[in-house]
Amino acid sequence: MGADHIISLASGYGNFAPPAAAVARAAAALQGGQLPVSAIEGLPALREALAVRYLAAAVSAEQIVVTAGTKPALFALLKAVLRPGDEVLLPTPNWFGFWKLIEQAGGIVRPLPLVATDNYTLHPTALEAAITPRTRILLLSNPNNPTGRVYRRAELDAVLAVTRQHSDLFVLSDEIYNFITFGTEPVPSLLEWADPLGQHLVVNGFSKSLALIGWGVGYLVAPPALARACAAWQFSTAAAVPVPNQLAALAATEAAQAIADELLAQLAHNRDLLLDGLASLPRVHCPCPEATYYAFPDFTAYLDPSLSPEAASAALVARLQAAGVGVVDGATCGAPGFARLSYALSTNDLQEALQRLRKALQ
Ligand SMILES: Cc1ncc(COP(=O)(O)O)c(C=O)c1O
């Protein structure tokens, strides 16, 4: 079947309206006449509000740099930390965007494959074995994009017990989906752990959990000297995030839990719909993701065995696309034969996409 209208389950951005309080704060700034230019590292009020968010972790505002989204935050940190020949250890599956970011910052990706049947557990022994003198960063996404897996306290305790043995190693945690969790406990932030060696780096943003899609606001948290280096990088390569956007982010920070709760309520029905729909497809396995608005089902039973895993994965995605459903090829996340499907879209479109999927796999 050739579908003239493709329903995309591939976008990483949801269909959420921006929070009213954030829009109102930005609008008031725009109507106030000439706009001030922000300091390069961000408005003090926003950095303070973010520091308060991490109060338990005793993060100070000087450790925070506001950036034009999470990608620039990641890039600034990678650029600041990586030396020629340095490697970034990337547990996979992981967000496809990391590969190019690391490459553009001059690093080399070293995948650390985790497996679905083991619930993507990051074993300390496997981590220790993967660390070499070249390893400069362990890069995590928590919650993980694309698997939706949340790495909890006990598991991270064990991981950080390993990384603490390597004083030259940084741990970079991308926590952009932190509020989109259907678990009973909050997702832990790396900042909650003591960091005597100054190894812990965190990035986050407003385009997922806080519904400021397209507003271009993110931030990094790092030891003060590194934060200053990233601000200097931003000064010479870009500009401060515009003040109305930062004020919108400030309003979203102040109302973070309420905004996230509303998103979770909006997403709950679609989540059930997608997971039930996938469970009813023959030979498709899909563990229930605790967080994010993605499912990451295993379609390996449908791969053409005469092709390489990557080519077979691309062929499967092309088959789904031809049937009118766009998905992210798991191969781009380090997991050929899997696909990332978003359910942050209209229920009608999701229902139609599921019907098309069923037909395409027949
Ligand atoms: C894990 C992860 N980090 C960073 C980003 C980029 O976020 P931003 O829109 O804030 O640049 C994305 C977007 O899909 C993502 O999934």
Side-chain angles (χ1 to χ4, degrees), residues 278-297:
L278 291 171
S280 73
L281 293 175
R283 301 189 297 146
V284 173
H285 298 284
C286 186
C288 180
E290 184 175 342
T292 72
Y293 37 73
Y294 308 120
F296 197 58

Side-chain angles (χ1 to χ4, degrees), residues 207-259:
S207 62
K208 312 283 183 177
S209 302
L210 296 176
L212 283 176
I213 299 156
W215 289 65
V217 197
Y219 60 93
L220 62 87
V221 189
L226 195 49
R228 278 195 297 277
C230 290
W233 160 264
Q234 181 152 271
F235 183 77
S236 41
T237 59
V241 177
V243 166
N245 305 42
Q246 290 198 58
L247 291 173
L250 174 58
T253 302
E254 288 163 357
Q257 198 54 58
I259 294 167

Side-chain angles (χ1 to χ4, degrees), residues 65-357:
V65 179
V66 179
T67 54
T70 308
K71 272 189 216 169
L74 283 162
F75 189 71
L77 283 169
L78 292 167
K79 193 79 191 157
V81 160
L82 292 173
R83 303 155 306 193
D86 273 349
E87 298 178 356
V88 178
L89 193 56
L90 185 65
T92 56
N94 227 319
W95 177 46
F96 51 82
F98 289 139
W99 274 260
K100 271 278 172 244
L101 275 163
I102 293 165
E103 197 184 300
Q104 299 276 15
I108 299 162
V109 180
R110 284 287 165 235
L112 172 55
L114 309 180
V115 286
T117 48
D118 189 28
N119 191 24
Y120 302 111
T121 301
L122 181 48
H123 293 285
T125 43
L127 174 60
E128 181 65 69
I131 294 172
T132 74
R134 289 280 196 207
T135 315
R136 182 66 160 159
I137 299 176
L138 169 66
L139 175 50
L140 307 169
S141 61
N142 192 28
N144 178 276
N145 171 8
T147 63
R149 172 74 147 79
V150 173
Y151 292 88
R152 297 219 157 271
R153 189 157 294 282
E155 204 167 0
L156 287 176
D157 273 343
V159 165
L160 299 179
V162 173
T163 56
R164 265 197 297 276
Q165 303 308 311
H166 300 269
S167 58
D168 220 23
L169 179 72
F170 289 93
V171 186
L172 171 51
S173 179
D174 181 333
E175 301 178 354
I176 191 169
Y177 293 93
N178 66 317
F179 287 120
I180 309 280
T181 178
F182 295 85
T184 49
E185 285 172 44
V187 177
S189 167
L190 178 63
L191 297 170
E192 291 162 27
W193 274 263
D195 182 21
L197 303 176
Q199 294 173 290
H200 297 177
L201 315 174
V202 164
V203 296
N204 207 325
F206 293 83
S207 62
K208 312 283 183 177
S209 302
L210 296 176
L212 283 176
I213 299 156
W215 289 65
V217 197
Y219 60 93
L220 62 87
V221 189
L226 195 49
R228 278 195 297 277
C230 290
W233 160 264
Q234 181 152 271
F235 183 77
S236 41
T237 59
V241 177
V243 166
N245 305 42
Q246 290 198 58
L247 291 173
L250 174 58
T253 302
E254 288 163 357
Q257 198 54 58
I259 294 167
D261 287 347
E262 201 177 316
L263 294 191
L264 292 173
Q266 272 181 49
L267 287 168
H269 175 65
N270 276 11
R271 179 171 189 259
D272 292 344
L273 188 69
L274 180 60
L275 294 177
D276 291 348
L278 291 171
S280 73
L281 293 175
R283 301 189 297 146
V284 173
H285 298 284
C286 186
C288 180
E290 184 175 342
T292 72
Y293 37 73
Y294 308 120
F296 197 58
D298 176 351
F299 290 103
T300 47
Y302 290 91
L303 296 185
D304 178 346
S306 70
L307 300 174
S308 71
E310 286 72 22
S313 198
L316 175 71
V317 170
R319 178 170 154 194
L320 301 183
Q321 177 88 7
V325 185
V327 301
V328 172
D329 183 350
T332 65
C333 305
F338 289 66
R340 191 190 78 178
L341 281 59
S342 166
Y343 55 84
L345 68 161
S346 83
T347 302
N348 282 350
D349 277 357
L350 187 58
Q351 269 163 339
E352 172 63 24
L354 278 165
Q355 280 178 18
R356 292 180 186 183
L357 267 183

Side-chain angles (χ1 to χ4, degrees), residues 23-56:
V23 175
R25 196 80 66 94
L30 287 168
Q31 280 155 7
Q34 196 179 3
L35 285 168
V37 173
S38 164
I40 194 70
E41 61 274 14
L43 293 177
L46 177 55
R47 295 166 76 219
E48 286 295 345
L50 291 169
V52 167
R53 219 198 102 185
Y54 297 109
L55 205 54

